[in-house]
């Protein structure tokens, strides 16, 4: 009987926060802001944030304004940092700021498809698949092109690879410059589109219109506020 008596209130308490908007700290020095990348900063590449790191972020948010800016989309960011992360800190930018939240409210969604047009998107996809078909590496998995709102993420091994396969590919890539060579080929092929290529992490690189890197998010920061 004693166990069932304690079970009911425990269940009720865990359900309550899900219906409440997470509270943001009012920092002591709001005019100072720190923006944190996700992969390689708050987490290991594609890993989950540790309790210690998240505790640090919350402590810091009591002192200054804190924001998160990552290249992945919001669902992936939530996988790494927790569900509802867009409403935990004052600023949250996914896909380099093309999906922007301020104080938990959506500000803007921009897309690469609208900017480049579907014909150009199709040309990039078709060329990429043909190029990767001729790349000889020990392992290939799925999701060679991940289409995001503001960029394409291209991976010669495929983003569905395991952690071990990811680590093995990174060694091969460093030896053979697979991603670097592919980027150089794309620069020549799509010179007219004014695209930027950013090699990062272990297995992939991003392709996006010039100016759509992580500095894009700065448009939401009013200079008068900081």
């Amino acid at each position: 009987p004693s166990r069932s008596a304690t079970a009911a209130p425990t269940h009720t308490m865990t359900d309550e926060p899900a219906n409440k908007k997470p509270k943001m700290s009012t920092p002591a020095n709001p005019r100072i802001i720190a923006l944190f990348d996700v992969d390689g900063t708050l987490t290991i590449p594609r890993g989950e944030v540790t309790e210690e790191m998240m505790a640090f972020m919350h402590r810091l948010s009591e002192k200054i304004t804190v924001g998160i800016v990552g290249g992945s989309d919001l669902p992936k960011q939530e996988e790494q940092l927790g569900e509802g992360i867009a409403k935990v800190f004052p600023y949250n930018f996914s896909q380099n700021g093309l999906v922007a939240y301020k104080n938990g409210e959506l500000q803007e969604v921009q897309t690469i498809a609208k900017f480049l047009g579907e014909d150009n998107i199709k040309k990039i996809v078709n060329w990429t698949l043909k190029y990767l078909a001729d790349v000889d590496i020990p392992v290939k998995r799925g999701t060679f092109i991940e289409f995001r709102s503001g960029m394409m993420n291209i991976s010669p091994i495929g983003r569905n690879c395991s952690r071990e396969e990811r680590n093995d590919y990174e060694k091969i890539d460093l030896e053979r410059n697979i991603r670097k060579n592919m980027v150089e080929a794309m620069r020549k092929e799509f010179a007219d589109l004014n695209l930027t290529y950013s090699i990062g992490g272990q297995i992939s690189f991003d392709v996006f219109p010039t100016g759509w890197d992580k500095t894009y998010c700065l448009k939401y920061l009013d200079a008068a506020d900081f």
Side-chain angles (χ1 to χ4, degrees):
S2 61
R3 290 183 180 176
S4 60
T6 58
T10 300
H11 179 73
T12 301
M13 290 180 67
T14 54
D15 280 351
E16 285 181 359
N19 298 322
K20 293 183 178 180
K21 184 177 179 179
K23 294 182 179 179
M24 297 183 189
S25 300
T26 300
N29 298 289
R31 291 178 62 84
I32 301 175
I33 186 170
L35 296 175
F36 291 85
D37 191 11
V38 181
D39 285 328
T41 302
L42 297 180
T43 73
I44 63 173
R46 293 300 300 128
E48 295 182 8
V49 68
T50 63
E51 292 182 6
E52 292 80 7
M53 178 60 77
M54 190 55 72
F56 161 77
M57 292 287 285
H58 283 290
R59 290 196 304 271
L60 184 64
S61 69
E62 296 174 357
K63 300 177 180 179
I64 64 174
T65 301
V66 169
I68 295 171
V69 51
S72 296
D73 58 25
L74 186 55
K76 282 191 172 60
Q77 198 177 107
E78 288 187 320
E79 288 177 8
Q80 294 179 264
L81 303 179
E83 187 176 352
I85 189 63
K87 299 183 178 181
V88 174
F89 301 108
Y91 290 95
N92 182 281
F93 306 110
S94 53
Q95 301 183 67
N96 290 346
L98 297 175
V99 179
Y101 281 82
K102 179 180 180 181
N103 295 324
E105 300 295 330
L106 181 65
Q107 302 296 301
E108 181 188 44
V109 177
Q110 178 61 278
T111 70
I112 191 172
K114 287 190 294 185
F115 188 81
L116 293 181
E118 292 297 345
D119 285 345
N120 285 323
I121 294 295
K122 186 168 62 176
K123 289 177 183 177
I124 295 171
V125 170
N126 290 344
W127 184 94
T128 298
L129 293 176
K130 290 177 182 178
Y131 184 97
L132 291 179
D134 294 328
V135 174
D136 185 19
I137 52 179
V139 170
K140 287 186 180 180
R141 296 295 182 251
T143 313
F144 300 102
I145 305 174
E146 184 175 77
F147 186 83
R148 303 172 183 172
S149 295
M151 69 177 70
M152 292 182 184
N153 179 266
I154 297 173
S155 174
I157 186 176
R159 294 188 63 86
N160 291 355
C161 62
S162 67
R163 174 70 62 184
E164 182 179 359
E165 291 164 346
R166 173 186 290 262
N167 293 338
D168 290 341
Y169 171 79
E170 182 181 26
K171 296 175 184 176
I172 296 172
D173 188 80
L174 290 173
E175 293 173 358
R176 296 169 46 189
N177 291 321
I178 295 172
R179 289 181 293 173
K180 182 179 179 181
N181 292 338
M182 185 173 181
V183 163
E184 289 304 313
M186 291 189 77
R187 289 187 196 280
K188 296 176 182 178
E189 183 70 22
F190 302 107
D192 60 317
L193 296 184
N194 194 25
L195 299 173
T196 293
Y197 304 84
S198 176
I199 299 176
Q202 296 175 289
I203 64 169
S204 63
F205 62 92
D206 296 329
V207 182
F208 50 87
T210 298
W212 284 25
D213 55 15
K214 288 185 173 65
T215 62
Y216 185 90
C217 73
L218 298 179
K219 64 182 284 188
Y220 299 102
L221 306 181
D222 191 337
D225 294 336
F226 301 101

